[in-house]
Amino acid sequence: MAAFAVVSAVGLVADDRVLVGAPIWAKPFKFSASFVAYCLTLAWMLTLLTRGRRIGRWAGHVVVLTGLIEMVIITVQVVRGKRSHFNTATAFDSALWNAMGMTIVVLWAATLVIAILLLRTRITDRATALAVRGGMLIALAGAGLGFLMTLPSETPQAADTMGAHSVGVPDGGPSMPLTGWSTTGGDLRAPHFVGMHALQLLPLLLIALVLLAPRFARLRDAGVRLRLVRVAVGGYAALVALITWQALRGQPLIHPDGVTLAAAGAILAAVAYGTWKALRPTAPTRPSRTAAEQEPVA
């Protein structure tokens, strides 16, 4: 995947072709860079397994193989100057698109197997266990949102396509820089991206808390770190749900309406309160009274 990222970066500089409103090499570059982060994180998580390591290793092999097939198809279509996703223009294009659909289902299933193994494994530090499991489950949900893009779109699209990224507008319209997400309608790539990268961001949050612990006394308490991770997992899941709802309503990520802003404010307030509550010193438990102290005085 790192090699694909380098090749795609060269393509971005050397090839000025544009496809569906974006540089033609942008998609393979983003996919390969995302796969690098995805596979490195899964490789680290597999080292945490205390049972089912052989199954986990084979599931990891499946992720590698299906990811490779996905990237080869995307790159072949770029070289041909054709869309890889949703393209049913010819029998060959349709066959490649169907193959991509099957490989991504198998990749998702292999990741689910790893998630189940992580749920069953014993991780001593509770904050680490929650960050890993919470990140994995949210990432699975985010990856699953990709299947919504393959459904027939109610918005008119190109005649030779099936499915779409955008909701309420055709693909290829005005978009955000770098991400390419629509600025005129909903875009399912936003919750898909945010959800999948919970896999990295939640464990990274815990690593940051551990690194900051020597400088901040409250973070040295494992219970405080656990409570903060709980808040982060809940807040992250709520954020993914919010931007999924926003996209399905045909609303651009950067142009939320009042209802979306109110929901975002409620999530932010809940996270802020949860963080304050997690950092508050807990009252010391009072020692239980001895039998002699409990006897009534005659």
Side-chain angles (χ1 to χ4, degrees):
M1 295 304 164
F4 272 116
V6 172
V7 171
S8 302
V10 173
L12 282 170
V13 175
D15 191 342
D16 59 0
R17 289 179 297 167
V18 174
L19 185 65
V20 198
I24 199 167
W25 285 96
K27 177 168 286 186
F29 178 78
K30 289 188 288 188
F31 268 67
S32 55
S34 181
F35 267 126
V36 168
Y38 189 76
C39 292
L40 282 174
T41 309
L42 282 184
W44 168 68
M45 289 182 174
L46 285 171
T47 67
L48 302 175
L49 295 181
T50 57
R51 59 173 72 177
R53 288 183 176 178
R54 178 174 295 182
I55 298 173
R57 183 169 65 249
W58 280 107
H61 292 336
V62 171
V63 169
V64 170
L65 179 60
T66 51
L68 180 62
I69 293 171
E70 188 91 355
M71 284 306 306
V72 167
I73 293 174
I74 290 172
T75 306
V76 165
Q77 289 294 71
V78 165
V79 172
R80 295 179 66 231
K82 305 291 184 180
R83 294 183 66 172
S84 53
H85 287 69
F86 319 125
N87 188 355
T88 57
T90 67
F92 181 68
D93 292 322
S94 185
L96 291 181
W97 169 230
N98 289 333
M100 289 180 70
M102 288 186 290
T103 56
I104 207 65
V105 169
V106 175
L107 187 151
W108 189 89
T111 306
L112 176 62
V113 169
I114 297 173
I116 293 171
L117 292 174
L118 286 168
L119 288 171
R120 296 180 67 241
T121 202
R122 183 174 182 179
I123 301 174
T124 305
D125 183 69
R126 294 173 66 194
T128 300
L130 180 59
V132 168
R133 293 165 181 165
M136 177 66 85
L137 293 176
I138 295 173
L140 277 169
L145 292 172
F147 298 125
L148 295 178
M149 303 180 203
T150 65
L151 300 176
S153 175
E154 296 180 1
T155 304
Q157 303 286 341
D160 54 0
T161 62
M162 177 174 289
H165 298 130
S166 304
V167 178
V169 294
D171 282 350
S175 60
M176 297 168 57
L178 298 180
T179 63
W181 301 337
S182 176
T183 56
T184 56
D187 200 313
L188 290 166
R189 288 174 294 182
H192 179 62
F193 174 88
V194 174
M196 285 194 65
H197 287 287
L199 191 71
Q200 293 86 35
L201 293 178
L202 289 173
L204 282 174
L205 170 65
L206 179 60
I207 291 171
L209 294 177
V210 171
L211 292 176
L212 290 171
R215 306 182 75 180
F216 300 94
R218 294 294 302 138
L219 297 181
R220 295 172 201 161
D221 185 341
V224 170
R225 295 197 298 270
L226 175 61
R227 293 194 294 272
L228 288 173
V229 172
R230 283 175 180 160
V231 172
V233 170
Y236 204 109
L239 174 64
V240 173
L242 174 63
I243 59 178
T244 301
W245 178 57
Q246 183 183 8
L248 290 173
R249 289 160 58 217
Q251 190 177 113
L253 180 69
I254 59 174
H255 297 304
D257 62 10
V259 177
T260 303
L261 287 174
I267 293 171
L268 184 61
V271 169
Y273 175 75
T275 303
W276 172 76
K277 192 86 171 172
L279 291 171
R280 278 186 67 191
T282 54
T285 56
R286 298 178 63 181
S288 59
R289 297 171 62 188
T290 64
E293 289 174 325
Q294 292 175 3
E295 285 184 2
V297 178

